[in-house]
Amino acid sequence: MSEIVCEGCGAVTAGYDTVNYGSIDVGYRVLCSRCFNSEVATRVGLDKFEHVRLEPVKLSDCNGVMHEFHLRTHLLGDIVSLEAFELRDGAPGGYEFQIVGDPSEDLFSLCGRLVEKMRRALAVMHVRRGRLGLEIIEETVRGRIGWDDAAEGRLPLVTIDGQEFSWDELGHALMCFEGWQFKLEVADRSNEI
């Protein structure tokens, strides 16, 4: 896991909990989430915004596998984003969730809503490894679109059930539905699908 020194408070911070903050005109600084939230709160006049550091949460999926989620809060002007993510090689990966709310809302209440969203998602498995490779369990697959370094960004890498799959693997799994129709719907990561 990479650690970075925050240019605001000087604290050594995990790389996934930092933000490059600034602009081309004034330059950029690497800030920890606490300093970033403080800067944004000052800029937008939210004197009462309090950055709360939340401890990791452990939840099990429908197969009984335990997942540890790290939590990160970012004030984004008139909304606050709360994210939960697993760590893979020191960076967010696997399952990732986000919920947004009003900055004046109680962050523990927002966290409770996020945990419920996570539980609903972890209760369903969409794919499994079978004799023929990746298999779609039913007719619906939900996941996240990411960058595939192996394809140099020409094809996406998809994360389904907290596991990464190449576009080719997903395409191969879809071949058992040859002749069927499909609907590809894309949603913001803070929306529940």
Side-chain angles (χ1 to χ4, degrees), residues 60-66 122-123 125 127 137 163:
S60 61
D61 63 26
C62 60
N63 293 323
V65 176
M66 193 62 68
L122 290 169
M125 296 302 275
V127 295
I137 296 172
Q163 301 174 54

Side-chain angles (χ1 to χ4, degrees), residues 1 26 29 49 58 62 72 74 83-84 115 121 140 147 191:
M1 177 185 334
V26 297
R29 297 180 299 148
F49 182 79
K58 292 182 180 180
C62 60
R72 173 174 58 199
H74 285 152
E83 300 170 43
V115 168
T140 300
W147 177 276
N191 293 344

Side-chain angles (χ1 to χ4, degrees), residues 81-192:
S81 166
L82 181 57
E83 300 170 43
F85 50 89
E86 293 182 284
L87 290 179
R88 300 281 160 78
D89 299 323
Y95 282 106
E96 294 183 35
F97 300 96
Q98 180 190 41
I99 193 167
V100 295
D102 188 280
S104 63
E105 184 175 354
D106 177 58
L107 285 179
F108 293 107
S109 173
L110 188 64
C111 184
R113 291 195 346 251
L114 177 61
V115 168
E116 288 306 311
K117 176 180 178 177
M118 294 161 61
R119 285 187 179 158
R120 286 189 296 274
L122 290 169
V124 179
M125 296 302 275
H126 300 92
V127 295
R128 67 177 164 236
R129 294 273 183 197
R131 304 186 281 110
L132 303 173
L134 183 65
E135 296 176 349
I136 296 172
I137 296 172
E138 294 191 15
E139 288 88 27
T140 300
V141 175
R142 291 177 183 87
R144 189 180 69 254
I145 303 166
W147 177 276
D148 189 350
D149 284 332
E152 298 174 351
R154 290 176 282 122
L155 295 172
L157 183 70
V158 294
T159 302
I160 305 166
D161 300 337
Q163 301 174 54
E164 293 179 343
F165 300 101
S166 72
W167 196 243
D168 284 343
E169 287 177 293
L170 179 59
H172 182 73
L174 287 170
M175 288 308 297
C176 70
F177 297 102
E178 182 180 357
W180 290 39
Q181 300 182 81
F182 74 95
K183 175 183 177 182
L184 177 63
E185 187 174 335
V186 180
D188 182 83
R189 69 188 222 151
S190 65
N191 293 344
E192 191 157 354

